[in-house]
Amino acid sequence: MITVNNLVGGYSNSPIFHGINLEIHQGEFFALLGPNGSGKTTLFKLITGQLPIIKGDIFLSGKEISTLSKLEKAKKVAVLTQEAQVSFDFTVEEIVSLGRYPHQKGLFKQLSRVDWNVIEEVMEITNISQFRKIPFRMISGGEKQRVLLAKALAQEPEILLLDEPTNHLDVKHTFQMLDLLKERQQSMGLTIFSILHDLNVASQYADRIAMLHKGCLLEVGDVDNFRKTDLLKKVYEVDIKLGSHPTISKPQLLMTPGYHQAEPCTRFENSFQIHQTKEYIHIQFDHPLRTISNGVIGDGVQWLRHFCNFYVDKNYNCSAPDRDLRNWMTKYAIPYEQAVGMMTAVQLKDVVIRHEEFEGIQMLAVVTAGTGNAVDISSRTHSKVSQSVGTINTMLFIDSHFTDGALVNGFMSATEAKSKALLDMNIKDPHSNTIATGTSTDSLLVGLTQQGEKTPSAGSGTTVGKAIGQIVYEATKEAIQKYLQRVQTK
Ligand code: ADP
């Protein structure tokens, strides 16, 4: 659709490109990326014909651009640039209707019924119909951008060239505009070539990308190129890490600021407070911890500083436990947005709290255990969730700095230790009569201060992994003992 062959071009005495090649396929959404000054606008201007080609060729739909008349080009290509030249006295509708110019026939070039249908449709989809009679100068920057897009779409082009179309747009309008473009691409086969600045937005919308750096095309390909964080770091000179979106499988990037983040200087033993009542246990840290958990709220990997385990009756109706937890936390002035929340029917006075140091690493384990819903996960017997007290809730806080991999290791190590405690306490799955590996509703949280040297692994082969195993094993065993004593003395 767009073919760039051995292109040499730029400004009269200084070419920016010294023979680049690029192929944009029909019907794709192609994003051109690169830091300021890398040549994006220059390439855009060469493709739109605003700058002369020194050597090489550019083809649009198979035709070399210099052979296309202005009208032929306007039928094929619509352009939305930063520097749109429009008469500010025109109304919105008049500006959109200018987009039909290449399609108008006859000597006097009047708008036909077909033209008006197209104008109506593009004003509708860009949500500008309501100010059709208002002068362009009287609408906001974001609305102006939508009007110019409507004008470009009214052209019914094969190719849409966009220079940072979402510049000056807020988040809502950015996504609205890109959704609209994507819809046009998918439903009508529109080819989109767009300069974009936001790498994460490009990853979500583009089919392919090109990365420009100092006039050279470094990477051309699908958005998995964003996984090459070393390359991105080099090009953008920013510390970039690969992250992940919870529902979209495209790479997402996390940038780390260059300024020095003040290290929390409190010692671990002074960095938290434990507040315990009949209703709840609340562990509050001075600084957010890097957490991994399956808590009712605060699940996944996050940064959080409030950790709560709420007591509920064993017949608690758990139709909306997350809502209930938020309400209870609000009642006790605990900010639930910064919290992991768990529930238990175990009496909270039976909680086991252990604070220990293993080879210089401090750990705090807080465990409540009931084994009424004990389950052997490997058994084929189907166990129903009973109404008895039967959840093991484990919170483990570690004064160390884990990578995300070590965080997962830590979660595994704590789980293995809990299962071993159940084995040694001879806790059985009542349905299969085999040793239980956990209960049907166990919650686990591992939280890290992220102070000190980075630890890449916390599995059972490491000192820290073994330490996790020991503290969780002993705390779980003790909590189960307390639970069994209470059940037996009933
Ligand atoms: P980007 O759009 O990626 O920020 P540009 O294409 O605007 O980059 O600029 C690429 C290079 O061309 C830069 O070094 C810039 O200084 C230079 N440049 C831009 N405009 C002109 C101009 N009108 N005359 C000469 N050099 C220019």
Side-chain angles (χ1 to χ4, degrees):
M1 204 36 15
I2 306 175
T3 307
V4 174
N5 273 345
N6 280 321
L7 180 70
V8 178
Y11 306 93
S12 44
N13 12 353
S14 58
I16 304 298
F17 303 108
H18 300 272
I20 59 163
N21 296 291
L22 187 63
E23 186 84 42
I24 317 293
H25 308 144
Q26 184 179 348
E28 76 174 341
F29 190 135
F30 192 95
L32 183 64
L33 300 144
N36 291 337
S38 58
K40 299 182 299 296
T41 310
T42 308
L43 180 57
F44 191 87
K45 285 182 173 168
L46 284 159
I47 293 175
T48 54
Q50 290 165 270
L51 277 176
I53 296 168
I54 297 172
K55 246 164 83 184
D57 318 281
I58 299 176
F59 293 90
L60 297 177
S61 313
K63 292 208 167 170
E64 208 278 301
I65 51 166
S66 62
T67 66
L68 290 168
S69 71
K70 237 182 164 175
L71 202 64
E72 279 176 316
K73 220 190 285 176
K75 277 187 185 164
K76 282 190 190 301
V77 184
V79 182
L80 184 59
T81 65
Q82 301 281 320
E83 312 136 12
Q85 300 291 321
V86 281
S87 165
F88 277 52
D89 290 331
F90 282 180
T91 64
V92 162
E93 187 181 80
E94 282 165 341
I95 289 192
V96 177
S97 59
L98 289 176
R100 292 307 297 164
Y101 185 78
H103 297 278
Q104 285 168 256
K105 299 188 178 80
L107 205 54
F108 300 108
K109 300 242 166 192
Q110 296 225 324
L111 291 167
S112 67
R113 179 114 58 89
V114 173
D115 292 327
W116 275 114
N117 287 345
V118 173
I119 292 164
E120 289 297 334
E121 194 229 333
V122 297
M123 286 204 298
E124 189 68 36
I125 60 168
T126 52
N127 199 16
I128 55 166
S129 306
Q130 65 275 28
F131 26 77
R132 61 197 310 155
K133 299 292 179 202
I134 296 176
F136 187 72
R137 69 184 144 81
M138 283 175 66
I139 58 176
S140 76
E143 288 158 356
K144 283 193 178 96
Q145 192 71 345
R146 271 162 35 217
V147 172
L148 295 173
L149 175 66
K151 174 176 170 267
L153 294 176
Q155 236 172 288
E156 293 190 303
E158 293 167 29
I159 306 168
L160 189 55
L161 300 175
L162 306 153
D163 183 2
E164 287 187 52
T166 57
N167 215 3
H168 309 306
L169 296 186
D170 63 23
V171 178
K172 173 183 155 188
H173 290 103
T174 295
F175 280 84
Q176 267 182 2
M177 175 173 279
L178 291 163
D179 283 341
L180 193 154
L181 290 170
K182 198 75 194 160
E183 202 281 322
R184 247 7 216 196
Q185 177 214 351
Q186 289 176 335
S187 65
M188 303 181 76
L190 180 66
T191 305
I192 299 172
F193 175 87
S194 180
I195 295 180
L196 288 176
H197 259 315
D198 188 321
L199 305 179
N200 289 325
V201 162
S203 176
Q204 290 180 4
Y205 285 91
D207 302 306
R208 290 195 311 138
I209 57 152
M211 182 74 62
L212 260 182
H213 184 46
K214 297 181 180 164
C216 297
L217 282 169
L218 291 192
E219 292 293 335
V220 182
D222 65 25
V223 295
D224 280 320
N225 278 300
F226 286 130
R227 297 184 193 279
K228 298 176 181 168
T229 48
D230 286 343
L231 177 90
L232 295 175
K233 264 188 224 176
K234 200 178 115 202
V235 171
Y236 284 97
E237 295 172 38
V238 174
D239 187 16
I240 299 181
K241 292 222 158 20
L242 188 61
S244 72
H245 191 285
T247 55
I248 295 171
S249 62
K250 303 291 176 70
Q252 293 289 282
L253 300 161
L254 301 164
M255 327 302 169
T256 308
Y259 79 93
H260 181 69
Q261 211 129 12
E263 285 284 316
C265 48
T266 353
R267 287 183 56 79
F268 183 75
E269 61 269 32
N270 303 325
S271 66
F272 61 86
Q273 291 107 45
I274 302 176
H275 182 61
Q276 186 178 343
T277 70
K278 251 178 94 169
E279 285 88 29
Y280 66 95
I281 299 168
H282 172 205
I283 301 127
Q284 173 176 348
F285 275 79
D286 296 344
H287 301 282
L289 303 186
R290 181 80 168 148
T291 59
I292 181 167
S293 95
N294 67 330
V296 178
I297 63 170
D299 65 333
V301 176
Q302 303 206 34
W303 285 95
L304 300 166
R305 61 192 272 270
H306 295 271
F307 308 95
C308 300
N309 193 4
F310 272 84
Y311 173 76
V312 292
D313 185 80
K314 68 180 165 59
N315 298 315
Y316 164 75
N317 167 10
C318 52
S319 55
D322 50 342
R323 185 199 57 205
D324 289 344
L325 270 176
R326 285 190 191 100
N327 287 341
W328 299 335
M329 285 190 199
T330 306
K331 182 171 151 199
Y332 296 113
I334 301 165
Y336 60 77
E337 307 85 356
Q338 302 172 47
V340 168
M342 301 178 179
M343 287 178 177
T344 183
V346 171
Q347 297 211 13
L348 295 179
K349 60 182 163 210
D350 288 346
V351 67
V352 173
I353 301 176
R354 281 178 175 241
H355 181 180
E356 290 180 45
E357 189 169 314
F358 300 83
E359 303 202 8
I361 300 176
Q362 291 197 49
M363 291 191 189
L364 172 73
V366 180
V367 179
T368 55
T371 57
N373 294 323
V375 174
D376 172 2
I377 200 160
S378 66
S379 155
R380 284 183 187 268
T381 319
H382 231 25
S383 44
K384 282 192 223 93
V385 176
S386 76
Q387 290 296 307
S388 49
V389 178
T391 293
I392 301 175
N393 283 351
T394 309
M395 295 186 184
L396 177 64
F397 306 98
I398 309 170
D399 187 21
S400 185
H401 190 161
F402 279 16
T403 60
D404 280 0
L407 208 56
V408 176
N409 276 154
F411 207 81
M412 287 167 62
S413 298
T415 308
E416 288 168 14
K418 176 197 70 180
S419 296
K420 182 66 164 47
L422 288 161
L423 170 72
D424 289 357
M425 295 294 291
N426 200 31
I427 303 295
K428 289 193 171 162
D429 178 332
H431 300 273
S432 62
N433 206 32
T434 50
I435 297 287
T437 49
T439 84
S440 53
T441 48
D442 288 350
S443 288
L444 172 60
L445 152 83
V446 180
L448 275 296
T449 58
Q450 300 300 68
Q451 298 190 101
E453 285 284 301
K454 249 190 214 168
T455 305
S457 169
S460 53
T462 63
T463 309
V464 70
K466 287 285 280 180
I468 291 171
Q470 282 160 38
I471 195 168
V472 171
Y473 171 78
E474 280 157 22
T476 311
K477 242 173 102 169
E478 190 187 336
I480 294 172
Q481 267 156 1
K482 284 188 174 185
Y483 164 77
L484 293 176
Q485 265 166 20
R486 189 168 292 283
V487 174
Q488 280 152 14
T489 53
K490 253 192 188 170

